[in-house]
């Protein structure tokens, strides 16, 4: 987290999905973020129930709730109303036709994130180091902010942004030395490449 802040990240992500090697408990998240200021905190959830969302938000301030599961537009709308925190819906992309899945969320989400469809049989909905054809997003216009994810690394993020036109990017496995183990040098290199500095 220190490396991301030092390198100029705009957001820090906390994974609240028990099957992920990046999973943190609400209590651990509170410890990690207690002294953090001036940077957005994002919580990643997969089909979370209200009781769990309430538990997490009781421990840690989150600026954005990112949903990677099978949440419907109605569910996202209900969460946004209940918890009064902006929500992001992740759209799994393999082909251009998949972009249509975003449309039902235009009126209920605050952000979209386009990620690669997980490989067949994958346990995780994201963080699989897989990418998709970035030209699918070239010229894409949405009525709300969107981000690109999926297989991004320090070596390819600048090209991904150039090709897709993504206004923002999200990375996880691409800045790790092993699953769930972040690498400070990779984080710094990724942010530098993404911001073109």
């Amino acid at each position: 987290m220190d490396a991301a802040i030092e390198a100029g990240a705009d957001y820090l992500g906390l994974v609240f999905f028990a099957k992920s090697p990046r999973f943190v408990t609400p209590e651990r998240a509170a410890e990690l973020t207690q002294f953090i200021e001036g940077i957005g905190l994002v919580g990643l959830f997969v089909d979370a129930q209200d009781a769990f969302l309430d538990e997490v938000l009781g421990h840690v301030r989150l600026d954005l709730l990112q949903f990677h599961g099978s949440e419907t537009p109605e569910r996202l709308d209900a969460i946004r109303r209940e918890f009064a925190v902006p929500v992001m819906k992740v759209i799994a992309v393999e082909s251009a036709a998949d972009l249509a899945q975003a449309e039902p969320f235009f009126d209920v989400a605050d952000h979209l994130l386009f990620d690669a469809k997980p490989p067949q049989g994958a346990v995780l909905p994201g963080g699989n180091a897989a990418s998709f054809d970035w030209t699918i997003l070239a010229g894409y216009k949405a009525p709300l902010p969107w981000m690109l994810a999926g297989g991004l690394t320090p070596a390819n993020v600048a090209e991904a942004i150039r090709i897709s036109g993504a206004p923002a990017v999200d990375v996880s496995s691409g800045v790790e030395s092993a699953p769930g183990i972040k690498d400070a040098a990779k984080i710094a290199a990724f942010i530098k490449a993404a911001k073109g500095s």
Side-chain angles (χ1 to χ4, degrees), residues 15 17-22 46 68 116-119 121-128 179:
V15 178
F17 179 54
K19 292 181 181 177
S20 171
R22 302 162 191 96
V46 179
H68 269 265
K117 265 194 183 162
V123 175
L124 303 178
N128 291 294

Side-chain angles (χ1 to χ4, degrees), residues 2-196:
D2 289 341
I5 293 167
E6 195 174 303
D10 297 303
Y11 291 96
L12 291 173
L14 299 156
V15 178
F16 298 104
F17 179 54
K19 292 181 181 177
S20 171
R22 302 162 191 96
F23 171 67
V24 291
T25 63
E27 294 79 10
R28 181 66 177 135
E31 290 172 16
L32 289 168
T33 61
Q34 62 181 325
F35 301 116
I36 289 180
E37 295 176 3
I39 189 166
L41 295 177
V42 181
L44 185 155
F45 299 91
V46 179
D47 297 315
Q49 299 301 307
D50 280 4
F52 184 59
L53 292 170
D54 201 43
E55 180 187 357
V56 171
L57 289 167
H59 281 84
V60 62
R61 165 194 62 84
L62 294 174
D63 302 296
L64 185 62
L65 309 179
Q66 184 185 102
F67 291 97
H68 269 265
S70 56
E71 300 88 5
T72 63
E74 293 75 20
R75 175 69 179 134
L76 247 62
D77 190 39
I79 290 169
R80 188 165 69 161
R81 291 171 189 271
E82 173 68 23
F83 296 99
V85 178
V87 298
M88 170 186 278
K89 179 58 183 158
V90 179
I91 307 296
V93 178
E94 189 173 50
S95 69
D98 293 321
L99 297 184
Q101 294 176 59
E103 292 173 19
F105 294 95
F106 285 174
D107 294 330
V108 296
D110 300 282
H111 299 262
L112 296 171
L113 185 139
F114 295 101
D115 198 356
K117 265 194 183 162
Q120 200 72 27
V123 175
L124 303 178
N128 291 294
S131 61
F132 62 94
D133 179 1
W134 300 316
T135 62
I136 290 170
L137 285 166
Y140 181 73
K141 298 280 187 272
L144 64 169
W146 62 274
M147 300 174 81
L148 173 67
L152 299 177
T153 68
N156 70 13
V157 66
E159 182 185 14
I161 292 168
R162 181 182 61 77
I163 292 171
S164 68
V169 290
D170 178 297
V171 68
S172 191
S173 56
V175 292
E176 292 181 339
S177 55
I181 309 297
K182 294 292 184 277
D183 181 301
K186 287 183 179 179
I187 289 170
F190 183 92
I191 294 172
K192 183 176 181 182
K195 295 196 173 203

